[in-house]
Amino acid sequence: MQAQEIYDKLKEQFADAVIELKADAPSDPFIIVNGSELFKIAQYMRDKEEFDFDYLVDLIALDLGENLGAVYIFSSMKHKHRIALKVIVPKNNPKIPTLENLWRTSDWLEREAWDLMGIEFEGHHNLIRILNPYDWEGHPLRKDYVTPEEYHGMKVPY
Amino acid sequence: MGLLNRLNDPYEGGGFALGTVEDILNWGRSKSDWYLQFGLACCAIEFMAVNAPHFDFMRFGTIPRTSPRQADFIIISGTVTLKMAERIKRLYEQMSEPKYVISMGSCSNCGGPYWEHGYHVLKGVDRIIPVDVYVPGCPPRPEALEEGMILLQKKIKHEAIFNKRKRIAEEDRKLGLNYQSNI
């Protein structure tokens, strides 16, 4: 199934939560989706027989200046098609519903997005740091991050 | 009688070797150093290659030990992150004296390629534990690591065991460090 077909089918199911399809980007085509309806859209994509997206390939977090973005890439083992969904949230309130109950891998993928970019996933059972030390402050991969001077008595800069 | 006849040919039917007890102890200590099995990143892969038959690290008498209580020295190979640095300090404190540290690779010498932008990297493991031998490289060639091991063996061979404080104080005075001591 091509990206345009997936977009049309989603559009007739969830009318205004599915915002637009960007097929002319230099990357693979992706669909921009509203953050508040993400759980229902993802569940529909996983359960509907003609989509059957049973594999969450990756969760990519973006820093877009004033907003934060999250890109989910889904893939289907049976139908062998792939689509990306993009969700954009404001930086001062970055809340996205968690997909932990649908795909088990999103447990750690969302923990990584929280640790490095600061996107909060509502409903996640254990949203703590996974790569940085547990009492680290700040979200390092944001563009406005400043390296701390010292951590637990160790000098951090060179 | 037989012993006195053989004093002049050391290789025919047995001979004598004379040395101090300290020489023999240091010779034994340096040629059978057991290291703590510790590998962090790419330098650990290089260290595994040095252990393999082609370069054969074990011919220096080293055996990997899994517990810090049984180890003589530790080879810090790989990037030391701030999260790992606390554990390294704990392991180093658990090793019993005499203990040595070889720092292998750029990352544990001085932070390596992460020196500028690495917010999570400890710039050099000598910020937390005292290092005896630094082996440069990214990763070091196996021959370089073997040279580092030979240097550590030389360092152990010249170490003082008896009258340690007095002899270290004498050496420091020769280097020009005059400090107050009652030795």
Side-chain angles (χ1 to χ4, degrees), chain A residues 37-98:
Chain A
E37 298 284 310
L38 179 67
F39 189 80
K40 294 203 199 74
I41 296 178
Q43 194 170 25
Y44 182 72
M45 289 170 78
R46 187 186 70 148
D47 295 334
K48 193 97 178 5
E49 193 49 49
E50 55 196 0
F51 286 155
D52 199 19
F53 285 113
D54 50 357
Y55 179 33
L56 171 62
V57 180
D58 203 359
L59 199 173
I60 303 163
L62 313 166
D63 183 354
L64 305 161
E66 303 178 346
N67 304 326
L68 295 177
V71 178
Y72 294 79
I73 305 182
F74 299 116
S75 155
S76 167
M77 303 274 189
K78 198 162 78 166
H79 302 291
K80 299 190 184 15
H81 52 226
R82 205 179 244 242
I83 190 64
L85 287 182
K86 188 167 177 173
V87 177
I88 299 184
V89 286
K91 210 173 208 178
N92 45 17
N93 188 25
K95 290 196 197 309
I96 301 182
T98 181

Side-chain angles (χ1 to χ4, degrees), chain A residues 130-133 136 140-141 147 152 154-158, chain B residues 82-83 85-86 110 115 118-123 127-128:
Chain A
I130 189 171
L131 292 173
N132 288 323
W136 194 259
L141 254 51
T147 309
H152 280 195
M154 296 181 272
K155 181 172 165 226
V156 175
Y158 183 72
Chain B
L82 296 172
K83 201 169 178 178
E86 300 174 354
C110 59
W115 69 273
Y119 56 89
H120 58 300
V121 172
L122 182 68
K123 315 289 189 300
R127 288 190 180 183
I128 45 172

Side-chain angles (χ1 to χ4, degrees), chain B residues 65-134:
Chain B
R65 304 305 296 169
T66 42
S67 160
R69 309 279 190 199
Q70 300 170 2
D72 289 323
F73 72 104
I74 185 173
I75 302 185
I76 308 280
S77 52
T79 314
V80 180
T81 52
L82 296 172
K83 201 169 178 178
M84 191 60 176
E86 300 174 354
R87 281 89 176 157
I88 290 183
K89 180 108 179 115
R90 194 178 195 131
L91 281 176
Y92 181 75
E93 287 169 355
Q94 282 179 344
M95 286 164 71
S96 43
E97 294 275 341
K99 54 190 171 182
Y100 308 94
V101 175
I102 293 185
S103 164
M104 173 184 180
S106 296
C107 284
S108 47
N109 287 346
C110 59
Y114 307 104
W115 69 273
E116 200 179 4
H117 299 295
Y119 56 89
H120 58 300
V121 172
L122 182 68
K123 315 289 189 300
V125 79
D126 50 4
R127 288 190 180 183
I128 45 172
I129 58 181
V131 174
D132 292 298
V133 176
Y134 294 88

Side-chain angles (χ1 to χ4, degrees), chain A:
Chain A
M1 208 184 287
Q2 299 300 319
Q4 185 65 39
E5 274 185 68
I6 300 177
Y7 174 69
D8 292 332
K9 289 201 164 70
L10 280 181
K11 192 85 177 172
E12 59 185 62
Q13 183 76 18
F14 305 92
D16 44 349
V18 180
I19 300 178
E20 78 176 293
L21 164 73
K22 273 232 170 25
D24 52 352
S27 62
D28 286 344
F30 59 92
I31 302 176
I32 303 186
V33 161
N34 199 353
S36 49
E37 298 284 310
L38 179 67
F39 189 80
K40 294 203 199 74
I41 296 178
Q43 194 170 25
Y44 182 72
M45 289 170 78
R46 187 186 70 148
D47 295 334
K48 193 97 178 5
E49 193 49 49
E50 55 196 0
F51 286 155
D52 199 19
F53 285 113
D54 50 357
Y55 179 33
L56 171 62
V57 180
D58 203 359
L59 199 173
I60 303 163
L62 313 166
D63 183 354
L64 305 161
E66 303 178 346
N67 304 326
L68 295 177
V71 178
Y72 294 79
I73 305 182
F74 299 116
S75 155
S76 167
M77 303 274 189
K78 198 162 78 166
H79 302 291
K80 299 190 184 15
H81 52 226
R82 205 179 244 242
I83 190 64
L85 287 182
K86 188 167 177 173
V87 177
I88 299 184
V89 286
K91 210 173 208 178
N92 45 17
N93 188 25
K95 290 196 197 309
I96 301 182
T98 181
L99 302 182
E100 193 190 13
N101 302 318
L102 301 173
W103 293 276
R104 285 291 292 274
T105 68
S106 56
D107 188 357
W108 276 12
L109 290 170
E110 288 171 359
R111 266 178 75 180
E112 185 187 359
W114 155 246
D115 184 8
L116 296 173
M117 200 60 93
I119 301 177
E120 289 177 32
F121 292 91
E122 300 168 313
H124 198 266
H125 75 284
N126 190 23
L127 198 68
I128 58 175
R129 294 195 177 262
I130 189 171
L131 292 173
N132 288 323
Y134 294 113
D135 55 351
W136 194 259
E137 282 164 14
H139 299 281
L141 254 51
R142 288 192 180 180
K143 302 283 183 200
D144 49 3
Y145 181 73
V146 172
T147 309
E149 280 298 316
E150 69 118 42
Y151 171 74
H152 280 195
M154 296 181 272
K155 181 172 165 226
V156 175
Y158 183 72

Side-chain angles (χ1 to χ4, degrees), chain B residues 17-167:
Chain B
L18 290 178
T20 63
V21 174
E22 196 177 74
D23 274 346
I24 294 177
L25 283 179
N26 276 341
W27 174 69
R29 272 195 323 131
S30 63
K31 304 292 190 221
S32 78
D33 247 343
W34 291 358
Y35 62 93
L36 176 64
Q37 230 180 16
F38 195 74
L40 291 174
C42 356
C43 274
I45 307 289
E46 191 69 27
F47 184 59
M48 289 178 212
V50 179
N51 265 321
H54 194 257
F55 291 105
D56 198 11
F57 198 61
M58 263 200 201
R59 66 191 144 121
F60 296 106
T62 60
I63 301 181
R65 304 305 296 169
T66 42
S67 160
R69 309 279 190 199
Q70 300 170 2
D72 289 323
F73 72 104
I74 185 173
I75 302 185
I76 308 280
S77 52
T79 314
V80 180
T81 52
L82 296 172
K83 201 169 178 178
M84 191 60 176
E86 300 174 354
R87 281 89 176 157
I88 290 183
K89 180 108 179 115
R90 194 178 195 131
L91 281 176
Y92 181 75
E93 287 169 355
Q94 282 179 344
M95 286 164 71
S96 43
E97 294 275 341
K99 54 190 171 182
Y100 308 94
V101 175
I102 293 185
S103 164
M104 173 184 180
S106 296
C107 284
S108 47
N109 287 346
C110 59
Y114 307 104
W115 69 273
E116 200 179 4
H117 299 295
Y119 56 89
H120 58 300
V121 172
L122 182 68
K123 315 289 189 300
V125 79
D126 50 4
R127 288 190 180 183
I128 45 172
I129 58 181
V131 174
D132 292 298
V133 176
Y134 294 88
V135 183
C138 188
R141 280 257 349 156
E143 291 92 342
L145 181 62
E146 293 177 348
E147 184 188 351
M149 186 64 207
I150 293 176
L151 284 176
L152 180 67
Q153 286 182 340
K154 278 195 195 145
K155 181 172 180 164
I156 298 176
K157 241 197 285 189
H158 298 301
E159 214 173 299
I161 298 184
F162 302 109
N163 294 328
K164 193 171 185 171
R165 286 174 69 203
K166 186 167 81 165
R167 285 157 70 184

